[in-house]
Amino acid sequence: MNVIVCGAGEVGFSISRHLSNEDNTITVIDQDKERLEKISNKLDIRTLVGYASHPNVLSEAGADNADMLIAVTQSDEINMISCQVAQTLFSVPIKIARVRAEVFNEAENTNLFDTGSIPIDAIISPEQEVAKSFTRLVAVPGAKDLISFDNDLVRLIQITLSEDCPVLNTPLGQLTELFPDLGARVVYIVRNEEGIVPDKLSQMKSGDNIYIIAESEKTDRVLSVFGKETARARRIVIIGGGTTALNVAKSIEKNEPQSKVTLIENDKNRAENIANELEKSIVLHGDALDKEVLEEAKIEQADFAFAVTGNDEINILSSILAKKYGCHSSAVLLAGDKYNPLISSLDIDAVVNPRELTVSRILRYVRKGQVFQVQSLREGEAEVIELEAMESSVLIGVPLKNKPLPEGVVIAAVIRGKNVILPDGGTMIEIGDKVIVFSRHDAVSEIEKIFSVGIGFY
């Protein structure tokens, strides 16, 4: 696949890394020579200095033969115009744009894209994705993250196991015997920063970060079995008053109306403007690193503190302070990755990474086959993919035990109509089934082949 990536920032680098590792031809366009040099020093890709929206630059990048254009520059306008030029002059089949401005994502303005006036196949709003992530944490506070598949029939739940987890040192194969109605499967274990695809004999240890595929209606039961609380968070303190923080507060007001939100913003004028936009939330003017301000926000009574300023350092420090002064749980927004090695040693319960959320949304349109959703895990180390079993797939009508999968791949769930099946060796996949697949990154291309080609693949 020939892909043009407009923008060499963190998202541009991340998606280029994903795609270049899969034998795609990647060209990255940016005006910043230093950014391009950093990318070209790390990745085997082509770089081009210039304006991504200029026809001559896109032509030089090979737009005539491009299969996809991904516009993730810092400018919404450049991203949209790049897609327009790519369609009008070069007929690029798939065009994806990151659009941050809230006004373009409002319902009354979606016709700009739905009718093809601005030819973009997928609009990605990092702020909206971040707001959804934090709202999910309110609904399921025992989890580090939760991703829904197929209208929330199935969920990917990420949790960290504590010493009081009742199923530590229990072979995973025994979980079904102990809890026959559990409706869940552990698909990945991260221990001491090493990823493990478990088998039936694998055991979980305290401190493990695990990923579970579960029937959504059994979420509370699953969390209880793994030693996590199930009550929804009711008191939320949001640290920061930027666009992202405002979106998080609005999302919680809409989707978790029983929750009480207090937002702390250091800029007085901004705090006043936010207060006018929110319906129920309390807005405080002050420094979230100040103990008195946190006490005014009643941090000791809070179920969750969400640190969502535009500064990673402030987010980390304010989150740690919130826990120190009595907040039950904390989650931070981290735009960069330089602090990732420290997070496991700090008293932080969850991390939301807008770059990874954006990359996950883009990958849905990159993956071959009938793909509905992709969730990238741990900076692309693995993926959970929701796709449809097509007639040409080699898995149709054959017991799974008769078709060994590549190493590092797990068929985690099969959705047939409204029924969720946690497959075993005797399960046969049918045409039209939606299949939830866990895969290490190096096996993703094999998954694409398995679900999109005929029997000749084997």
Side-chain angles (χ1 to χ4, degrees):
M1 182 184 293
N2 294 321
V3 182
I4 297 174
V5 177
C6 303
E10 291 184 348
V11 172
F13 172 79
S14 294
I15 194 64
S16 297
R17 182 183 62 194
H18 271 77
L19 300 182
S20 64
N21 289 336
E22 299 170 12
D23 297 325
N24 296 292
T25 300
I26 312 297
T27 302
V28 180
I29 304 172
D30 200 288
Q31 301 172 50
D32 191 321
K33 291 183 180 180
E34 290 186 4
R35 282 184 173 180
L36 291 176
E37 287 177 0
K38 288 180 181 178
I39 287 184
S40 61
N41 288 336
K42 295 180 179 180
L43 304 176
D44 183 18
I45 62 172
R46 179 189 176 205
T47 60
L48 181 62
V49 179
Y51 288 88
S53 56
H54 287 191
N56 61 315
V57 175
L58 288 175
S59 178
E60 187 177 351
D64 280 325
N65 298 310
D67 300 297
M68 178 180 296
L69 181 137
I70 302 171
V72 287
T73 75
Q74 298 300 312
S75 167
D76 290 351
E77 289 74 18
I78 289 177
N79 293 340
M80 289 187 285
I81 293 173
S82 298
C83 291
Q84 180 74 69
V85 174
Q87 172 62 34
T88 304
L89 298 184
F90 303 104
S91 300
V92 177
I94 301 176
K95 300 156 292 295
I96 300 172
R98 177 175 61 183
V99 179
R100 285 194 168 101
E102 191 69 22
V103 65
F104 289 110
N105 291 289
E106 293 174 353
E108 59 267 29
N109 296 324
T110 56
N111 281 342
L112 281 170
F113 312 107
D114 293 343
T115 61
S117 298
I118 301 179
I120 301 176
D121 299 289
I123 294 287
I124 298 172
S125 169
E127 286 75 16
Q128 287 190 352
E129 298 300 321
V130 166
K132 292 176 184 177
S133 289
F134 280 105
T135 305
R136 291 193 295 265
L137 293 176
V138 175
V140 189
K144 292 172 70 69
D145 198 6
L146 180 150
I147 305 295
S148 297
F149 296 93
D150 196 17
N151 295 315
D152 202 28
L153 283 175
V154 173
R155 290 173 173 175
L156 171 67
I157 304 171
Q158 178 188 1
I159 61 176
T160 298
L161 301 180
S162 54
E163 292 182 356
D164 59 357
C165 173
V167 291
L168 293 182
N169 304 314
T170 302
L172 293 180
Q174 290 186 12
L175 285 181
T176 303
E177 300 174 14
L178 295 172
F179 308 100
D181 62 340
L182 186 59
R185 170 171 294 164
V186 178
V187 295
Y188 204 42
I189 299 174
V190 180
R191 180 176 300 153
N192 299 323
E193 294 304 313
E194 180 184 354
I196 303 167
V197 180
D199 57 28
K200 292 183 178 181
L201 298 178
S202 298
Q203 300 180 20
M204 296 172 292
K205 307 293 182 182
S206 176
D208 283 355
N209 190 15
I210 69 171
Y211 294 83
I212 308 166
I213 291 292
E215 298 177 50
S216 297
E217 62 181 19
K218 297 181 179 180
T219 298
D220 287 353
R221 172 64 170 157
V222 171
L223 290 174
S224 177
V225 165
F226 288 95
K228 297 297 178 180
E229 61 187 277
T230 58
R232 294 193 172 207
R234 293 306 181 202
R235 293 181 180 272
I236 316 296
V237 173
I238 298 176
I239 298 166
T243 301
T244 299
L246 180 59
N247 284 340
V248 172
K250 286 181 175 179
S251 180
I252 294 173
E253 284 187 344
K254 177 181 178 181
N255 298 292
E256 297 292 331
Q258 300 304 314
S259 296
K260 296 180 179 180
V261 177
T262 299
L263 188 148
I264 303 173
E265 165 56 33
N266 201 28
D267 183 276
K268 185 176 182 180
N269 290 332
R270 177 63 180 169
E272 291 175 351
N273 291 336
I274 290 173
N276 292 330
E277 291 198 48
L278 295 173
E279 297 180 4
K280 301 184 300 178
S281 302
I282 297 171
V283 179
L284 300 179
H285 167 232
D287 185 351
L289 299 179
D290 187 327
K291 181 180 179 181
E292 292 183 0
V293 174
L294 289 173
E295 289 177 343
E296 185 179 357
K298 298 181 180 179
I299 195 68
E300 74 281 357
Q301 299 177 18
D303 297 306
F304 241 126
F306 292 157
V308 291
T309 75
N311 184 294
D312 286 358
E313 289 83 359
I314 291 176
N315 288 342
I316 291 172
L317 288 174
S318 58
S319 177
I320 293 172
L321 285 175
K323 291 288 292 288
K324 177 179 176 62
Y325 296 139
C327 181
H328 186 273
S329 300
S330 67
V332 301
L333 178 70
L334 290 185
D337 57 9
K338 63 181 178 180
Y339 295 110
N340 286 351
L342 299 175
I343 295 301
S344 59
S345 62
L346 300 175
D347 194 15
I348 295 174
D349 299 285
V351 173
V352 175
N353 186 318
R355 180 182 66 254
E356 190 155 337
L357 292 172
T358 303
V359 169
S360 292
R361 289 276 284 113
I362 292 172
L363 286 175
R364 171 189 170 186
Y365 300 92
V366 173
R367 294 290 168 243
K368 299 180 181 70
Q370 186 64 38
V371 176
F372 300 101
Q373 191 170 341
V374 176
Q375 182 62 33
S376 175
L377 308 181
R378 291 174 52 80
E379 299 291 333
E381 183 175 288
E383 294 179 18
V384 177
I385 308 171
E386 176 191 351
L387 41 71
E388 181 178 335
M390 303 171 68
E391 184 176 2
S392 57
S393 171
V394 297
L395 296 182
I396 297 297
V398 182
L400 289 178
K401 62 184 177 183
N402 294 344
K403 287 292 179 183
L405 296 170
E407 184 177 354
V409 173
V410 178
I411 304 294
V414 176
I415 303 170
R416 187 168 297 154
K418 296 297 182 181
N419 298 318
V420 178
I421 303 167
L422 296 182
D424 55 26
T427 302
M428 291 190 289
I429 294 175
E430 299 178 1
I431 298 172
D433 283 349
K434 289 184 179 178
V435 185
I436 310 298
V437 183
F438 168 88
S439 175
R440 285 188 180 275
H441 181 264
D442 55 10
V444 167
S445 60
E446 297 300 310
I447 291 300
E448 292 177 317
K449 294 176 183 177
I450 289 171
F451 279 92
S452 62
V453 302
I455 196 68
F457 171 68
Y458 278 97

